[in-house]
Structure formats: structure tokens, C-alpha cells
Amino acid sequence: MLIHFGKVFLYLFPVYLVGYLGLSISWVLFALMLWMWWKRNRTSKLARFAAAVDFLDNERHVITEGLKELNMPAWVHFPDVEKADWLNQILDQAWPYFGIFMEKVFRNSIEPAVRASNIHLKTFTFTKIHFGEKPLKIKGVKACTKGLDKRQVILDLQISYVADCEINVEIKKICKAGVKGMQLHGTLRVILEPLIGQSPLVGGVTFFFIRRPLLEINWTGLTNLLDVPGLNDMSDGAILDIISSYMVLPNRYCVPLIDQVQLAQMRFPLPSGVVRVHLIEAEDLVPKDTYMMGMVKGKSDPYANLRVGTQSNRSKTIKENLNPKWNEVYEFVVHEAPGQDLELEMFDEDPDKDDFLGSLVIELGEVMKDRVVDEWFPLSDIERGKVHLKLEWLSLLMDLDRLVENNHNLSCAILVVYLDSAYNLPRNHFEYSNNEYGMKKNKNPKYLKSKKSNGEPSAHVEFSIDKELQKSKVSRSTKDPVWEESFTFFIKNVHSQCLTIKIKDDDKKCALGVLSIPLKRLLTAAEMTMDQRFQLEHAGPSSMIKMKAMLRVLAMKEPDPDSVYTGLNALKKGPLNLIAASQGGSDPYVRIYLFPERSWSSRKKTTVKKRSVNPLFDEKFEYSVPLEEAQRRKLDIAVKHNKSFTSHERKELGKISVDNVIFRFEYSVPLEEAQRRKLDIAVKHNKSFTSHERKELGKVLVDLSQHDLIQGFTQWSRYGHLEKMTDLVAVWEVALSDGVHKIEFEHGTTSGKRVAYVDGKEALRRDWMFKLVGKETFSVGGTETKATINIDAVSGFAYEYTLEINGKSLKKYMENRSKTSSTWVINLDGVDCRIVLEKDTMDIWCNGKKMETAGEFVDDGTETHFTIGDHDCYIKAVSSGKRREGIIHSLIVDETEIPEAAE
């Protein structure tokens, strides 16, 4: 009875209060409307939670009933995604212990952190932490291995968390709030790399969501207000923004498992590429603007939203047009392909709420393969409508010959900046010495010293190129801040644009240091990369910022020659631009016979591709035939249209016969023995035993000891482990900053084996390769320099092996290196020291180790000091006074000048 009276009083008291204060009745109606809106929204949310929980508990029954309604055949399945029942069973068993672990984290870590963040939160307490009985579910697992680096494995986990969790908090026994139930759905990518040959077999693990997950939270207590429409979207969106800042591309959560793995390389790898999107036009859109209570159909004011990951762009609005033309171009950085998608949503712009006109999702992994896609795409989730897009995949290259500036205001390059940390920042601008930057601000009362001036700065970094500005997070209360963030900029003119860096105090709103880097300096840097500490201007004498800047040319690569297949493997790519057998296109498939046999059992046939003139089959067929018999066979390949029996449409779209067979004969002989052999080659006529026809048509005798069997390699006996390399074909010596490295390459022309050694250690191995030509790429030295060995067939059965370093031939690379570096060789304390100066970055290496340096200005130039053991060394840079010679660098060790060595 008392509870009932309390409820009635609670309902009637606001009405009495409005009348007592003489307010309008509209306040009561507004409050009633708001309460009904909140009640409806909350009821809808609880219904969605109930439906999700019911689906989780009765998944098999719900799916079975749904399939019955769709009348789908029993063989329908999705082969690229596998169920992970065993993994869900493990999660189910371990979930209570996960809850115990998370409760300790909340009480021992999160609760003290919240209390320390604000004086008003000192009584913040978790009164209840319960993660429920329903564990996280993994709805499917997709393993990605094709077309990836051989040292990594990628897993896409489709996670679904419909939680019956309950987490309550309390402040001062009055303010109570909490969460009772939540939903989280998304695709979590797990990357295991690099794969190593020692325990634990994986060097590190990286987690991230490919796109923003779906989140819905059921609030309790005072946080019930967050279920009010409008606030609900804001609260869930704010939490999603926090998740995105840590675990949605381009952000990653990385766990290194061995010491040799660098966390920065795991968290901020170079992007896969850039997709350039030409939004050209749309046709046959749905009219959403109506007149006279919907009786008269009008048109629409369409615009498009395009999104890749966290990057988004909006097109201009075309007024009153169902066939709009935009002709706009957008560029997006793609961090994971395959994986990321281009999402397009089209809307009709209205004063109140924009109407939906359709959507489209394009997998960018397919665009990366095709390089250029120019098509009309039908819009989804709408009655009709289509959009014309042209997609171009741009690769990140280090080839300056592909740099094209001022290309119709399109980007010609991309700049990737990895911000690491800063050192010895001034507490404020009053600590600047001998500069006018701080003196100008001294006159302003805003910058006068206060009691807080002696505190450590809370610094953030601003990067800007022209009008584009990007900011880092704030590192609180330290003069040695660490940020560890990555930024990307599209570059239109490398020679004229400049990267400006400002470090600012977030509390005092003053600059703590500035730096300006012309982008053209990166063109002459090694690998177009500058990775060093930079001296800050308008800061303390020892104030520095550590970062890595990488410039890459944006260009469209030609298709990989290795992906252009011939013979049977041509079915992987399929024919292009087939004849359209009907107005709707063709339904092509490929039929294969191995003549002279034409039986139904020997017939091979691909699947049928519906309504396509550019089909992709990706199928493989094999015939088991003895070699002698294969010489008498002919391969008959036809592309046909899958027409009905009564149709008069064209059946055959194309045909080809293959009867020219090339045979390769090989002898597996050790290299030392091959030099003592002779090769006898004869061309003969296959006559019968009783025939008097001519038998021998020609003959040649090749003395192998008189020929250079391995082009460019003659000094075989000097390498100690040659006896282990029976297929050694080439050796190169490459001078890099961290030393001179010897590269040896084995090529088994029988098995296709390819093994590369760097300084005697195996860097790459492929024990069996079907193709005897191609290329192999691996890293050399501590600088992880990219090396590529090209294997090309020349006349006869010989092969040519060439080495490329960073995409350039070895000769061209060494010529370029002689301009960008200087080398000295000196014996100190009985040890030969090879000292290398990188002129563009002023980095100094000694026997493969990067030296700590300190720069100093002198009257006639600069001096860069460093020490080797007990020896004082410095490199002096002075101007030659001649334009061609430029700056001359000299090495002085213990006041003695060392002559430069030639490499």
C-alpha cells in the first residue's frame, strides 16, 4: 500500500508543482512526451536484447526454420568461413575464470585510476562486477594465406558478444549507475607474424577490428538518461570512438612475443596501397521528395558518403536530379587488403532528416588485383538505382621515375610519419635562449609566469602540410613525452611542399619547439626515409624530436608477370571481354578435351559464371598421361555459353587448340663434376628398324669445361661452405650502411629449389617450385634493405640471375649510393673499422652499429662528433665552393684525417 501511494505521489507531484509555479501546461505535455519517448526506446532496446539472447540460445533452431522458409537446398554453405565450435567450447569452459581475472583488473587497476583522475571521484567504487554466464561467441573463422607474406598468418574472427553482464558503480552512496547487458558484433582480425623457426614459433600477435563494430548498451541507474533518444547514439558513439582509437584500423593492439620484434613496426606498418575513387554519376534513383501529402512524386537531392575504415568523404549535393553527375575524385589510404571495404551510402538531402537512397560495399582486395575497375554498380537495400564508379589501385613505390607531379590536382605521393617521442622539452617558452620567438610573447600578460609555470609540460604535436593539419594525443606532465602514433598525408608536389611540426603545451597554449622539413629532402634519402632525432628550433639546445618520415610514390603498377598464366593455369584468370550471347550478357564456362579422346569421362568443365563477360574461374584440372603419350595428344579448350536446350542464343564464345609442346631435359650433377663432362646433343629421325632413311639430322658436342656455366660467377673455390651448395649459381657482394654483405643464391633447375643466403645464413628457402623463372625478395642486413633476385631464361637451357637492391639494379644502386654516402676504413686497436656516413640523414655507422652523434657548428662548416672505444672521432662538412662537388666530408680520428675508401 505504501509503495503504491509513493508511485502515485511521484506521478502527480510534477503536475502540482507546475500549477503551483504558474507554468504553462505545455511543460507537462513536453515532459510526458519525453517520458513516453524514453519508455518506447527502452522497450525496443530490451526487445532487441531478448531476441539476441533467444537467437544465441536457439541458434540451430532459428537458422533451420529460416532456411525452410527460404526453401534453400541442403548443400548451400560458405566454404571460406569455418565454424569454430571447438574454440567456443574452450571459451565456454574458461569464461568464469575470465570473469575472475577481469574483476581483479577493474578493482586493482581501473578503480584507482578513476579515483586519481578527479577530486570529485575519490569515492568511486565498483559495487558489483559480474560478466554473466554467456561467453563471447566466435561465429566463424576465416584463414587468409593466399597472396600474403610467407612469414605471416591472418585470421578473421567474426565475434558476437551478447552479454548478460552487470557492472554497477557508486559515488558517495548517492550516485548509482551501471550497465546491465550489452551487445558487441564485429570482425576481429588477428595477425600472427613473423613466423620464426624457434619457440614460440610466432614473433608477435596483432589484433584490430577491420571496421567499427556494432555496439549497444543497456544502462541502469542514473545512466538510464543515456537511453533518451539522441543521447543514446551519442553515448554509444563515444564508447565506439574509444574502441576505435585503440583497435579499429589504422589503430592496432600488438603483443610482441620475442625481444627481436620491434613494436613500432607491428603497430604501424606501411599501408597496402591507396585507392582512388572517381564518383562519376548515378542513374534511376528513387524519388524521395513528394508533394500534396505524397500524392505527387517529385525528385531527390542526392549526395554520397564514401568511407574506408575511419576515413570518410561526402560529395556535393545535386539538387532535384534522379540521374546526378558528380565527376568527383577521392583518395583513401588502405591499410589492409584484402580486408577493408569501400562503403558508399547515398542519401536525399532534406531539411529535417535525410532519406536513404541505397548503399554499396566493394571489397578492396579485388580492386588491388584488378588495378582498375570501371563499372556501374547496382545500389543495395533500395528498389532501384545504380552508381558509376572508377576505382584505381595505386601502389606505394620507391621509383622516382614514376613520380608525376601537378597531375590535375591529384596526389603524386604519400607521406607516412611515425611519431615516436621527444626529449628535453622546455617547461615553457621562457626557457628559450637567444631567440626572439619567446621574447615577443613575454610582453603579453597571458604568458606571464604563474605558480604552475615550473610544472612539466603537457605536450602534443601538430603536423601540417599547407592547410591540412593533424594532431597527436596529449602526453601529460613530462618533458620527455612518448606518443607512438602514425600520420599520413597525400602529397601533390614534393618539390614545393613542406612538413611543418609544432610541439605545443596543451595547458599553457604555447609552442615548445618547431621544425620544418622540405619534402624534397626525402627524395635523396636512403629508401626515401628519414629515421632520426631532429633538433627543434625555438627550443632548448638539447630539445629533440624522434620520428620516422617515409615518402612513397603513388603509381599504378603493371600486373605481376608471375600472375599471367599460360597453358592449363590460364583458367585461373579466365578470358576477358567475351561476346555477349544475349542482352543480359553471357553465362560462360570452359570445356576441355585432351584429344584424341573425346569420351564424356575425359571431359573437364568449370563452373558457370552467371551474366559475365569477364569471368574469373580460379579452377585447376589435371590429366595423368605418360610422357610418351602426351607428345601425341592435343589440348582442346573452348569457352561456351550455358544456354537452355530450346534457346537460339550463341553457344560457343571462343576456342583454342594447343599442340606445341616444349620439352626440358635436365641432369642433376654436382658442379665440380659438371666441369669434367661433355654434352652430346643430336637431332635424329624416328625411322623404322628396316628403313634405309637417314637417321641423324644434326649433332653438336659441348665441352662443359670450356664454358662459364654460371654467368658472372667464377671464384667458386673461395667459399668454405660450397660443398653444401650443390646448386649454387650466383654470388654478389653488397655494401650497405651496416657492412658489406655477401649474398649467395642456389637454384635447382630440376626441382625449382630456390635458396638465398645472406652472410652464410639462410634468408629464404623454397624447396619446390613449378616455375623455373620468376623472382624472390628478402631482406639484407640490420637496415632490412629489400633485395630481389630475378631469374630469367636465356637461350637454350641457361638462366640469367640479376640482383636488385631497393628496386634498382645492383650497379645503379651502387652508383647512387656513392653519391649519398661516404666510407672510410681504419684499423683501431687491432680491429678493422668500416665507418659509413649517410649524407642525407647524417647517420654514422661503424661495423654495422649506428653511432650516437652530436652535431656542432664551426666557422667553416659543421662537425659531427662520436667515439669509437677511447678514440675521439668527428666528420667535418665544409663547402667545396663548386656546385658539382657540393659539400666535402672528411673523417678525423684523434686529430688525424683518414682518407676515404672506394667501394
Side-chain angles (χ1 to χ4, degrees):
M1 185 67 183
L2 188 61
I3 296 176
H4 181 70
F5 174 77
K7 287 184 177 180
V8 174
F9 177 78
L10 186 64
Y11 293 151
L12 296 179
F13 180 74
V15 181
Y16 168 78
L17 188 62
V18 169
Y20 179 78
L21 297 176
L23 301 177
S24 171
I25 190 65
S26 59
W27 286 98
V28 177
L29 296 176
F30 175 75
L32 182 61
M33 184 181 65
L34 186 64
W35 179 82
M36 292 177 63
W37 198 2
W38 172 85
K39 188 70 175 178
R40 178 185 177 186
N41 187 59
R42 185 164 181 80
T43 302
S44 175
K45 177 178 284 190
L46 291 175
R48 289 195 298 271
F49 271 106
V53 171
D54 180 66
F55 177 78
L56 190 69
D57 292 338
N58 305 284
E59 178 181 1
R60 182 180 297 274
H61 175 74
V62 173
I63 292 178
T64 302
E65 292 300 317
L67 290 176
K68 287 181 180 178
E69 294 178 4
L70 293 174
N71 197 26
M72 296 181 70
W75 47 262
V76 173
H77 65 289
F78 304 96
D80 57 339
V81 178
E82 300 177 0
K83 293 195 68 174
D85 289 337
W86 63 273
L87 195 53
N88 288 322
Q89 291 175 11
I90 294 175
L91 289 172
D92 194 13
Q93 192 77 6
W95 193 253
Y97 303 95
F98 173 79
I100 295 173
F101 169 75
M102 291 303 298
E103 183 175 358
K104 292 179 180 179
V105 171
F106 273 63
R107 296 197 184 280
N108 300 335
S109 300
I110 298 179
E111 188 175 289
V114 174
R115 289 180 175 180
S117 64
N118 193 296
I119 190 173
H120 301 292
L121 298 176
K122 284 189 174 181
T123 59
F124 178 89
T125 306
F126 285 105
T127 57
K128 184 175 183 178
I129 301 175
H130 178 57
F131 277 82
E133 304 297 331
K134 299 184 182 299
L136 174 77
K137 292 288 185 181
I138 297 178
K139 311 300 289 185
V141 177
K142 180 179 178 180
C144 307
T145 55
K146 293 183 179 180
L148 302 176
D149 187 346
K150 295 296 184 182
R151 299 189 64 192
Q152 70 174 194
V153 174
I154 295 179
L155 300 174
D156 286 341
L157 308 180
Q158 297 178 2
I159 65 172
S160 177
Y161 184 39
V162 182
D164 55 346
C165 63
E166 186 173 0
I167 302 175
N168 296 327
V169 299
E170 185 179 87
I171 303 175
K172 294 183 179 180
K173 303 290 184 180
I174 301 175
C175 300
K176 296 182 179 181
V179 172
K180 188 174 183 179
M182 64 176 293
Q183 292 190 68
L184 179 68
H185 307 277
T187 300
L188 182 70
R189 173 159 288 189
V190 180
I191 301 180
L192 309 176
E193 67 172 342
L195 302 180
I196 56 178
Q198 62 189 38
S199 179
L201 300 182
V202 177
V205 184
T206 303
F207 306 87
F208 56 86
F209 285 102
I210 296 177
R211 60 189 67 85
R212 285 165 63 105
L214 301 176
L215 175 69
E216 190 167 9
I217 298 175
N218 184 27
W219 302 100
T220 61
L222 288 178
T223 47
N224 262 325
L225 293 174
L226 298 177
D227 273 337
V228 173
L231 289 179
N232 180 37
D233 294 337
M234 292 173 59
S235 61
D236 290 356
I239 296 173
L240 273 177
D241 289 339
I242 296 174
I243 296 175
S244 300
S245 65
Y246 287 96
M247 292 189 64
V248 177
L249 279 176
N251 304 293
R252 304 162 186 250
Y253 185 77
C254 304
V255 181
L257 302 179
I258 58 176
D259 295 336
Q260 292 81 357
V261 173
Q262 296 184 6
L263 184 61
Q265 292 182 354
M266 291 181 63
R267 288 190 61 191
F268 306 108
L270 269 177
S272 298
V274 169
V275 62
R276 181 176 289 158
V277 182
H278 298 258
L279 176 61
I280 302 175
E281 57 183 327
E283 282 187 1
D284 197 23
L285 298 180
V286 176
K288 289 291 184 177
D289 295 336
T290 59
Y291 307 99
M292 298 180 63
M293 305 295 291
M295 297 176 62
V296 178
K297 289 285 186 180
K299 295 187 177 181
S300 292
D301 305 324
Y303 70 90
N305 283 331
L306 298 97
R307 182 169 59 250
V308 175
T310 57
Q311 310 161 79
S312 61
N313 283 295
R314 172 178 165 162
S315 73
K316 63 184 178 183
T317 302
I318 307 297
K319 295 292 184 180
E320 297 185 353
N321 198 327
L322 299 180
N323 301 291
K325 297 181 183 295
W326 287 283
N327 292 314
E328 297 179 358
V329 182
Y330 308 97
E331 293 170 326
F332 299 94
V333 179
V334 183
H335 296 273
E336 287 289 324
Q340 287 188 283
D341 300 326
L342 170 66
E343 302 172 53
L344 181 146
E345 290 182 320
M346 202 163 291
F347 293 94
D348 166 38
E349 187 176 65
D350 287 323
D352 47 2
K353 183 180 180 181
D354 296 346
D355 297 316
F356 181 71
L357 291 177
S359 63
L360 175 67
V361 177
I362 300 174
E363 186 179 350
L364 294 178
E366 298 302 318
V367 179
M368 180 179 67
K369 295 177 185 177
D370 296 338
R371 302 290 193 263
V372 178
V373 177
D374 189 350
E375 291 184 17
W376 283 91
F377 295 92
L379 294 172
S380 303
D381 305 320
I382 197 73
E383 294 88 353
R384 64 178 188 269
K386 57 183 179 179
V387 61
H388 185 191
L389 298 176
K390 181 181 179 182
L391 310 175
E392 298 175 330
W393 182 266
L394 305 177
S395 301
L396 310 187
L397 308 177
M398 291 188 289
D399 187 359
L400 292 180
D401 296 335
R402 304 293 299 274
L403 181 64
V404 180
E405 296 178 309
N406 301 319
N407 182 19
H408 305 290
N409 203 33
L410 299 176
S411 300
C412 64
I414 186 174
L415 176 69
V416 181
V417 180
Y418 168 61
L419 172 64
D420 187 288
S421 55
Y423 307 91
N424 299 317
L425 294 181
R427 289 184 175 87
N428 51 57
H429 59 274
F430 293 100
E431 293 188 3
Y432 301 168
S433 58
N434 299 324
N435 70 78
E436 68 280 1
Y437 187 77
M439 296 303 294
K440 291 180 180 179
K441 291 187 175 180
N442 276 344
K443 300 176 182 179
N444 193 333
K446 178 181 177 182
Y447 296 95
L448 293 178
K449 290 186 178 181
S450 64
K451 293 181 180 180
K452 295 184 179 180
S453 296
N454 295 326
E456 301 292 347
S458 296
H460 72 273
V461 182
E462 294 181 356
F463 294 96
S464 62
I465 296 180
D466 296 338
K467 296 181 180 180
E468 184 178 0
L469 177 68
Q470 298 187 35
K471 295 182 180 181
S472 74
K473 62 185 179 183
V474 179
S475 182
R476 294 287 177 187
S477 304
T478 175
K479 64 184 181 63
D480 299 319
V482 176
W483 293 284
E484 293 183 342
E485 293 184 72
S486 180
F487 306 88
T488 56
F489 294 87
F490 286 109
I491 307 301
K492 292 181 171 57
N493 194 314
V494 179
H495 290 87
S496 63
Q497 290 184 294
C498 182
L499 175 65
T500 302
I501 304 156
K502 294 181 180 180
I503 302 182
K504 293 186 175 181
D505 189 333
D506 196 61
D507 296 329
K508 305 181 181 67
K509 309 299 180 185
C510 64
L512 303 177
V514 297
L515 177 66
S516 182
I517 302 177
L519 297 183
K520 61 183 179 182
R521 286 180 57 187
L522 289 162
L523 297 177
T524 57
E527 300 183 22
M528 301 171 70
T529 301
M530 298 177 68
D531 185 4
Q532 64 185 78
R533 297 179 182 179
F534 295 87
Q535 175 69 51
L536 292 170
E537 300 174 2
H538 306 305
S542 60
S543 298
M544 307 187 79
I545 183 171
K546 183 179 180 182
M547 66 180 195
K548 181 178 182 179
M550 295 174 287
L551 185 69
R552 293 295 183 267
V553 176
L554 295 180
M556 197 180 304
K557 289 178 63 176
E558 295 297 325
D560 189 349
D562 290 341
S563 66
V564 180
Y565 297 97
T566 58
L568 291 179
N569 285 335
L571 296 181
K572 285 193 172 183
K573 289 297 177 185
L576 298 177
N577 299 320
L578 296 176
I579 298 173
S582 64
Q583 292 183 353
S586 298
D587 298 339
Y589 68 92
V590 178
R591 185 269 299 146
I592 305 173
Y593 281 116
L594 187 60
F595 287 166
E597 187 175 0
R598 301 193 64 168
S599 64
W600 187 263
S601 60
S602 68
R603 179 177 181 265
K604 308 290 185 182
K605 177 185 173 183
T606 68
T607 56
V608 177
K609 302 298 181 181
K610 293 289 186 179
R611 298 186 179 277
S612 175
V613 294
N614 296 287
L616 176 67
F617 295 104
D618 196 11
E619 298 180 42
K620 181 179 180 181
F621 302 98
E622 294 182 354
Y623 287 94
S624 180
V625 181
L627 180 61
E628 298 80 8
E629 185 179 345
Q631 300 175 24
R632 302 189 296 270
R633 295 287 190 106
K634 180 184 292 187
L635 196 64
D636 184 74
I637 304 174
V639 182
K640 298 196 173 187
H641 169 56
N642 188 38
K643 69 172 185 175
S644 64
F645 183 74
T646 58
S647 172
H648 296 284
E649 296 171 353
R650 178 172 179 164
K651 175 75 174 178
E652 192 163 274
L653 305 179
K655 188 175 181 180
I656 185 173
S657 294
V658 181
D659 57 358
N660 295 321
V661 183
I662 298 176
F663 294 95
R664 186 188 303 276
F665 301 94
E666 298 177 352
Y667 293 91
S668 180
V669 180
L671 187 60
E672 298 83 6
E673 184 179 347
Q675 294 178 304
R676 301 190 296 269
R677 297 235 184 162
K678 292 183 179 180
L679 192 64
D680 182 40
I681 304 173
V683 181
K684 296 189 176 185
H685 168 55
N686 187 31
K687 69 172 185 174
S688 65
F689 182 75
T690 58
S691 172
H692 295 283
E693 295 171 353
R694 180 172 178 172
K695 173 79 172 179
E696 191 166 275
L697 305 178
K699 186 175 182 179
V700 63
L701 187 66
V702 181
D703 186 355
L704 300 182
S705 64
Q706 303 298 318
H707 293 267
D708 183 8
L709 300 181
I710 306 170
Q711 284 191 339
F713 173 60
T714 55
Q715 303 296 327
W716 303 318
S717 59
R718 59 184 283 197
Y719 301 104
H721 56 282
L722 179 62
E723 61 274 5
K724 300 178 183 178
M725 300 184 182
T726 56
D727 294 317
L728 189 66
V729 293
V731 173
W732 299 273
E733 288 189 349
V734 181
L736 302 177
S737 300
D738 59 342
V740 179
H741 300 279
K742 182 173 70 176
I743 301 176
E744 299 161 288
F745 185 61
E746 287 187 75
H747 185 211
T749 55
T750 301
S751 63
K753 178 185 73 173
R754 304 178 189 178
V755 185
Y757 298 86
V758 177
D759 298 330
K761 297 181 180 179
E762 188 175 288
L764 178 142
R765 172 177 287 274
R766 307 203 190 284
D767 290 321
W768 189 90
M769 295 291 290
F770 179 77
K771 297 185 68 176
L772 296 177
V773 296
K775 59 184 178 180
E776 296 294 345
T777 301
F778 51 95
S779 299
V780 179
T783 56
E784 297 291 325
T785 302
K786 178 183 175 183
T788 301
I789 296 177
N790 296 300
I791 309 167
D792 298 301
V794 293
S795 60
F797 304 104
Y799 296 89
E800 183 180 45
Y801 307 93
T802 56
L803 177 67
E804 294 181 355
I805 303 295
N806 287 337
K808 300 178 181 177
S809 66
L810 180 60
K811 180 179 179 182
K812 188 174 181 181
Y813 175 81
M814 296 308 296
E815 289 176 353
N816 184 63
R817 179 169 177 77
S818 64
K819 302 175 184 177
T820 60
S821 65
S822 296
T823 305
W824 297 269
V825 178
I826 184 175
N827 188 286
L828 295 176
D829 301 328
V831 179
D832 288 333
C833 298
R834 178 178 177 270
I835 302 170
V836 179
L837 167 68
E838 297 286 354
K839 296 179 182 178
D840 47 1
T841 62
M842 293 305 291
D843 288 338
I844 299 175
W845 299 74
C846 179
N847 290 346
K849 180 181 178 183
K850 194 173 181 180
M851 309 300 293
E852 292 288 338
T853 61
E856 179 182 353
F857 288 96
V858 294
D859 293 338
D860 54 348
T862 62
E863 292 179 356
T864 305
H865 291 261
F866 60 100
T867 58
I868 302 177
D870 297 329
H871 300 275
D872 294 327
C873 313
Y874 66 91
I875 293 179
K876 188 169 185 177
V878 297
S879 175
S880 64
K882 299 178 180 179
R883 185 174 182 180
R884 289 188 176 182
E885 294 182 11
I887 298 175
I888 299 176
H889 297 86
S890 304
L891 172 65
I892 291 87
V893 178
D894 296 333
E895 303 304 324
T896 302
E897 184 173 349
I898 308 301
E900 186 172 350
E903 292 188 323

